[in-house]
Amino acid sequence: LHPSPFSYSTARGAMATKKSTEYSNVPHGRDEIQPLQPATESEHNEEDHDDDDCDECPVELQLFRWENILIPACYLCVGLIQGLNRPLLNVYPLDLGANEAQQATISLVLVIPATMKIIFGFLSDNFPILGYRRKSYMLIGWLSVTFVMILLHQSADLAMSYNESGDPIPPKDAPSIELVSIAFLVSSIGMWMADVMGDSIVAEKARLEPTSRKGQLQSTCYASRFFGLMVA
């Protein structure tokens, strides 16, 4: 006797149901893709809590750890130098006897290196030094600033005295206008090179930010920069 189609399909469906039930009780292997389950409200709250806790963030995003502290320090130094250079170059060359044309040239010294940012980015992208595309150029930039400022301080007398009427009296070994211009040009090039490298590092690290913390990395860096401006 052959079973009717109805009884055969019913029996086959019951066997499939039993088989699927038994398979669901077997644990999945580590190399199998687990089905996505909708997250409960408590899991969402736990994820939000983890995002708010800085200790749970990747190490690369914790700027005030010793391995990342140089990034906000770079922005702080850029703010300090920007805040100090502008007032100094507006007054000091006049005390040295600079004319209007020389004063205008010195003012351009601080502007020209800022237009070279794309060149610094191109160099770091295509010509890494010792395998580093950002850190090496940042180090070169800050070493340039340090070296030229020490050289200017050691090669000339930067002190300025004033008479009773307030007129400046330059010392005998006062730096020339040309020396001041070249020194601050090299210093500005080094500062903007380091600034571009800092921006590049922050842009790369910002990819690791979770959605709830987007923008905090750059906000912290620019807060350090404007703090330096305020202190200067």
Side-chain angles (χ1 to χ4, degrees):
L1 296 176
H2 296 283
S4 64
F6 178 78
S7 61
Y8 176 78
S9 60
T10 304
R12 185 176 180 181
M15 291 177 62
T17 303
K18 181 179 179 181
K19 185 176 181 181
S20 62
T21 305
E22 292 175 352
Y23 179 76
S24 63
N25 295 328
V26 178
H28 293 281
R30 292 181 180 272
D31 56 343
E32 295 182 12
I33 299 176
Q34 303 295 329
L36 295 177
Q37 300 294 335
T40 61
E41 183 177 357
S42 60
E43 290 176 347
H44 279 300
N45 295 334
E46 184 178 356
E47 290 178 359
D48 295 339
H49 177 73
D50 291 341
D51 287 342
D52 294 337
D53 190 0
C54 187
D55 293 337
E56 298 296 331
C57 297
V59 175
E60 292 83 359
L61 300 181
Q62 301 179 31
L63 293 180
F64 295 101
R65 291 176 62 96
W66 68 270
E67 59 264 37
N68 298 323
I69 193 63
L70 290 181
I71 299 176
C74 176
Y75 281 87
L76 178 64
C77 291
V78 169
L80 288 171
I81 293 177
Q82 281 186 309
L84 293 174
N85 280 355
R86 181 66 65 180
L88 178 62
L89 293 182
N90 286 340
V91 177
Y92 189 70
L94 296 177
D95 292 345
L96 294 177
N99 54 38
E100 293 181 358
Q102 291 173 329
Q103 182 69 17
T105 301
I106 294 175
S107 299
L108 288 176
V109 165
L110 298 179
V111 178
I112 292 176
T115 63
M116 302 169 62
K117 285 186 173 184
I118 188 173
I119 299 177
F120 301 146
F122 175 80
L123 290 175
S124 64
D125 287 338
N126 295 278
F127 302 100
I129 299 176
L130 298 178
Y132 294 97
R133 295 186 297 118
R134 313 300 183 194
K135 296 179 182 179
S136 55
Y137 284 94
M138 180 184 290
L139 180 62
I140 291 174
W142 288 124
L143 287 178
S144 301
V145 175
T146 305
F147 175 76
V148 73
M149 289 293 105
I150 292 176
L151 182 63
L152 179 63
H153 182 269
Q154 295 297 324
S155 61
D157 187 2
L158 302 178
M160 187 69 65
S161 58
Y162 299 87
N163 56 22
E164 295 180 355
S165 61
D167 297 327
I169 304 176
K172 294 181 179 180
D173 297 332
S176 63
I177 301 300
E178 292 78 9
L179 178 60
V180 173
S181 300
I182 294 174
F184 278 92
L185 175 61
V186 176
S187 175
S188 296
I189 291 175
M191 182 196 71
W192 286 115
M193 179 185 292
D195 180 69
V196 171
M197 299 306 114
D199 289 341
S200 301
I201 293 174
V202 171
E204 292 172 357
K205 289 181 176 293
R207 300 176 182 177
L208 303 176
E209 285 186 302
T211 304
S212 60
R213 295 178 58 87
K214 286 292 184 182
Q216 291 190 16
L217 193 68
Q218 291 180 323
S219 299
T220 303
C221 292
Y222 279 95
S224 301
R225 180 173 181 170
F226 289 115
F227 178 76
L229 279 169
M230 181 181 65
V231 171

